[in-house]
Amino acid sequence: MSAAAVEIVTIGNELLRGDTVDGNAAWLGRRLADAGIRVARRATVGDDAAAIQAALRDALARTGTVLCTGGLGPTSDDLTRPAVAALYGRALAADPGVLAHIERRFAVRGITMPVSNRVQAEVPVGAHVFANPAGTAPALALEDAALGATLLLPGVPHEVRALMDAGVLDWLRARWPALKAGESAVLRTTGISESALFDRVLDLVPGAAPVEVAFLPAWTGVDVRLTSWGEADAARVTALADVFAARLDAWIYTRDERDLAVVLGDALRERGIHVALAESCTGGLLAKRLTDEGGASAYVHAGIVAYHNDAKRRLLGVSADTLRTHGAVSEATARAMLAGARRAADASCGIAVTGVAGPGGGSADKPVGTVWIAASVEDVEEAQLFRFPGSRDAVRQFAAQAGLRLLHRLLTRPQP
Ligand code: ATP
Ligand code: MG
């Protein structure tokens, strides 16, 4: 049998209007991927019987298996059940088991069931019913040889999740007896652009199939994600990740999902050392990133935001001469800020950042985006000049990430 693939059709006028973001489709995509089932395509339609039927007919013709969410409620805009029953040529009939389930849910809350909920117990004849542990409307599976299988789920997100775990996913899995769980590996990189990274591995991509390779850029860096869709096993995915990792070693900071600040925090905790931070243009962002996790006092000593030149002098001991001769955004100032922060905190490692975040303040030789970063561990120190692109916010985010990377590299660099 061909690879496990489904399509998703989400239903609701509120989704088309943008009042509700289609979180169901995103969540289902991840959940299915973990199970080795690929979502081949997604569609969203309004609460309209003809549109629902057309979307389902199209999707079924391609993949033969469709998951729908939405429109199973008790109100007049909830049209999915009759529309799908009609598509499959089935009558709707009250299901005593479902009705009892719905009545019970109201009874435990001490409420009489509103008459309009009765409609939710109407089930297309022959449908498989999945009782809803988190709500009233059950999930339904309809299947025939001509159309294939349609699974109907309610729209409420936590009900979708509960029903997937209460049998819907197992029912789907059973359609592909040889299905293996989806495997994925991630290499999180920073400090290299997407295209430069791709240049280094492009010859590896064609041979990776059936493992899929995705390059996912964000301001924090580029994640390389390797995914198998129930066809390759974990060992193959890991072996392939090793081959990619060998090419990208200088930029990889983790092979799990951790943020760079967490990776660095863990490395500092392991070494038993505390970091001191001296920040100008990032305005405390480095300190924020490093203290986002609880227990950060195990590795963060202090962060000094020295924005004004006077503060760089008074709080960090940067000399007036350094500031006058080299300017606030310079290698000499970054190194002096670093030394000052480490001294003030009596810390054995540190990061200092000084730059032009914009939108104003740039000059010909120091345009907006110019940032000097220095980091040190004990007596090993490094300073680096960056020219970051983008808005004030982007420059500050890039600078914080680069600062974390510089210290992380010093910490993890093989000892000579
Ligand atoms: P119920 O049986 O509870 O009435 P339903 O099947 O009728 O559920 P809807 O009425 O379509 O579902 O939606 C219920 C709620 O879930 C609404 O608040 C809606 O905005 C939200 N919702 C519907 N579809 C989605 C979706 N794809 N992603 C996220 N939220 C959704
Ligand atoms: Mg709806």
Side-chain angles (χ1 to χ4, degrees):
M1 175 152 198
S2 58
V6 302
E7 298 200 16
I8 292 176
V9 176
T10 51
I11 298 163
N13 290 340
E14 75 278 19
L15 301 171
L16 292 176
R17 281 176 47 91
D19 292 336
T20 300
V21 174
D22 191 351
N24 286 348
W27 184 86
L28 286 169
R30 288 193 299 271
R31 195 78 174 79
L32 293 164
D34 288 345
I37 301 169
R38 176 203 301 269
V39 175
R41 192 190 277 238
R42 277 156 48 170
T44 300
V45 295
D47 295 297
D48 175 272
I52 294 170
Q53 289 170 341
L56 278 178
R57 223 180 271 116
D58 278 359
L60 285 166
R62 282 185 297 261
T63 34
T65 311
V66 178
L67 266 84
C68 292
T69 78
L72 295 186
T75 55
S76 58
D77 60 350
D78 293 317
L79 300 168
T80 304
R81 198 186 340 260
V84 176
L87 179 67
Y88 277 83
R90 312 272 182 96
L92 287 166
D95 181 308
V98 175
L99 187 61
H101 172 81
I102 298 173
E103 282 170 343
R104 224 170 17 247
R105 282 197 68 88
F106 284 100
V108 295
R109 290 157 58 198
I111 304 171
T112 318
M113 185 186 88
V115 175
S116 29
N117 279 97
R118 276 188 162 271
V119 72
Q120 291 186 304
E122 298 208 342
V123 168
V125 172
H128 186 89
V129 175
F130 303 87
N132 186 338
T136 50
L140 302 168
L142 283 91
E143 188 176 13
D144 70 24
L147 286 168
T150 298
L151 282 133
L152 304 178
L153 296 152
V156 183
H158 78 267
E159 296 184 23
V160 170
R161 290 159 205 219
L163 278 157
M164 282 292 280
D165 289 337
V168 173
L169 186 57
D170 287 339
W171 191 92
L172 270 175
R173 275 203 198 97
R175 293 177 69 73
W176 299 277
L179 188 69
K180 296 194 187 100
E183 296 294 341
S184 84
V186 68
L187 307 172
R188 306 205 73 182
T189 73
T190 191
I192 182 169
S193 73
E194 186 186 16
S195 44
L197 181 150
F198 186 60
D199 280 353
R200 291 177 178 267
V201 295
L202 65 110
D203 58 306
L204 300 176
V205 176
V211 176
E212 193 176 285
V213 185
F215 301 90
L216 308 166
W219 59 261
T220 45
V222 183
D223 289 351
V224 181
R225 190 173 283 280
L226 308 173
T227 310
S228 82
W229 297 98
E231 292 155 340
D233 54 21
R236 163 97 177 109
V237 175
T238 309
L240 202 57
D242 290 344
V243 176
F244 276 77
R247 300 270 184 97
L248 302 172
D249 190 48
W251 299 277
I252 293 171
Y253 58 88
T254 187
R255 287 179 64 163
D256 54 36
E257 307 281 341
R258 284 175 305 162
D259 179 71
L260 178 56
V262 176
V263 172
L264 174 59
D266 289 347
L268 290 166
R269 189 193 280 110
E270 211 165 276
R271 286 273 290 267
I273 54 179
H274 286 74
V275 65
L277 310 165
E279 302 187 61
S280 187
C281 66
T282 44
L285 188 54
L286 260 181
K288 187 228 176 268
R289 293 274 309 274
L290 276 169
T291 55
D292 275 343
E293 294 286 305
S297 59
Y299 46 85
V300 175
H301 194 288
I304 297 171
V305 179
Y307 216 71
H308 196 280
N309 276 354
D310 284 351
K312 293 185 180 70
R313 279 197 299 110
R314 282 182 215 211
L315 301 178
L316 295 170
V318 181
S319 75
D321 189 45
T322 299
L323 288 165
R324 203 178 324 107
T325 317
H326 304 278
V329 178
S330 64
E331 176 172 0
T333 298
R335 288 185 189 271
M337 287 168 67
L338 175 63
R342 277 188 54 178
R343 199 166 43 236
D346 192 20
S348 47
C349 70
I351 310 171
V353 184
T354 178
V356 189
S363 63
D365 59 332
K366 290 176 188 173
V368 168
T370 303
V371 180
W372 269 100
I373 301 179
S376 60
V377 182
E378 267 119 41
D379 51 3
V380 182
E381 184 172 302
E382 207 174 302
Q384 213 180 322
L385 171 65
F386 296 88
R387 291 270 155 75
F388 295 121
S391 65
R392 178 175 178 82
D393 184 49
V395 169
R396 283 151 55 106
Q397 301 279 7
F398 282 130
Q401 184 78 353
L404 296 170
R405 172 168 188 247
L406 194 54
L407 180 58
H408 182 247
R409 274 208 0 248
L410 291 181
L411 272 176
T412 53
R413 196 150 64 186
Q415 306 298 320

